[in-house]
Amino acid sequence: MMFYRSYQSYCHRLQHDTYFLISTSRLNEQVVDKIVLQLNRVYPQILTNEEAEKFRNPKASLHTRLSDLLKHLQKKGDRHCQEFYRALQINAEQLFNDLPSRKILSPVFFLACFSVAAGLALFWYCCNSGKLSWLGCTWFHAKGGDPPGEHCGCHAVGRNCPGAEQVLA
């Protein structure tokens, strides 16, 4: 579980995901019925029999029933919203994985990006300060490359090869 989501209540997540769930008929009649039945049968019971009948009533539009169900769960509390997410994952796993609240990036992602940026900045600094040339030159001569200054780049920039002194000594 991602850091951001671990401190976010299920009710807050459901509020964030409501538009996604009710827009463009992402949930069909059968899936909504399965979710309502699961919430009615789970222990402790999330929906009473009367509430389950209300949210399964075919006389009301699916959009209205789903909107009412999500509002009802948010009013009931975090445990009810958590059970809704569990039922959604069981009955519509692909939709569950596509929820906006599951797409929030974790701090690990930002730390990785920062590490790459810091590494590139250090690399750039070393290239411009000549430290990378010295390291490359030392490695080049230690591996038995050409004599100092010929192919390591030290000769091209008009300096003595500092790595050769250490390697050849």
Side-chain angles (χ1 to χ4, degrees):
M1 183 166 278
M2 292 184 219
F3 179 78
Y4 179 79
R5 282 187 285 144
S6 64
Y7 289 99
Q8 188 180 32
S9 73
Y10 286 98
C11 288
H12 187 266
R13 285 180 57 195
L14 189 55
Q15 183 179 12
H16 182 74
D17 292 332
T18 295
Y19 179 76
F20 177 82
L21 290 167
I22 61 175
S23 66
T24 63
S25 304
R26 295 181 196 277
L27 286 171
N28 62 33
E29 188 91 28
Q30 293 81 17
V31 174
V32 172
D33 283 348
K34 287 180 183 180
I35 290 171
V36 169
L37 286 174
Q38 184 171 341
L39 294 175
N40 178 244
R41 295 180 180 151
V42 71
Y43 181 81
Q45 194 175 35
I46 300 300
L47 296 176
T48 64
N49 291 340
E50 295 80 27
E51 291 168 337
E53 286 177 26
K54 173 185 167 186
F55 297 124
R56 294 185 71 218
N57 182 0
K59 293 178 184 175
S61 73
L62 179 61
H63 182 273
T64 302
R65 288 185 285 143
L66 184 56
S67 296
D68 291 346
L69 172 64
L70 298 178
K71 289 175 192 171
H72 175 78
L73 293 172
Q74 289 174 17
K75 288 179 188 173
K76 289 286 200 161
D78 212 45
R79 171 89 170 106
H80 290 71
C81 294
Q82 181 181 11
E83 287 300 325
F84 170 80
Y85 277 109
R86 195 164 71 92
L88 182 65
Q89 184 177 19
I90 291 168
N91 294 295
E93 186 173 0
Q94 184 59 46
L95 180 63
F96 175 79
N97 291 332
D98 291 340
L99 289 171
S101 64
R102 296 190 48 83
K103 301 295 181 190
I104 298 171
L105 299 176
S106 72
V108 174
F109 173 78
F110 292 108
L111 183 61
C113 290
F114 177 76
S115 297
V116 169
L120 288 173
L122 183 63
F123 179 76
W124 184 266
Y125 171 76
C126 289
C127 282
N128 290 335
S129 68
K131 292 180 182 176
L132 189 63
S133 297
W134 180 83
L135 291 173
C137 188
T138 303
W139 177 84
F140 183 76
H141 296 301
K143 295 292 181 189
D146 291 336
E150 289 194 11
H151 291 287
C152 65
C154 292
H155 181 44
V157 293
R159 355 180 217 150
N160 293 331
C161 182
E165 297 166 6
Q166 292 175 349
V167 173
L168 298 177

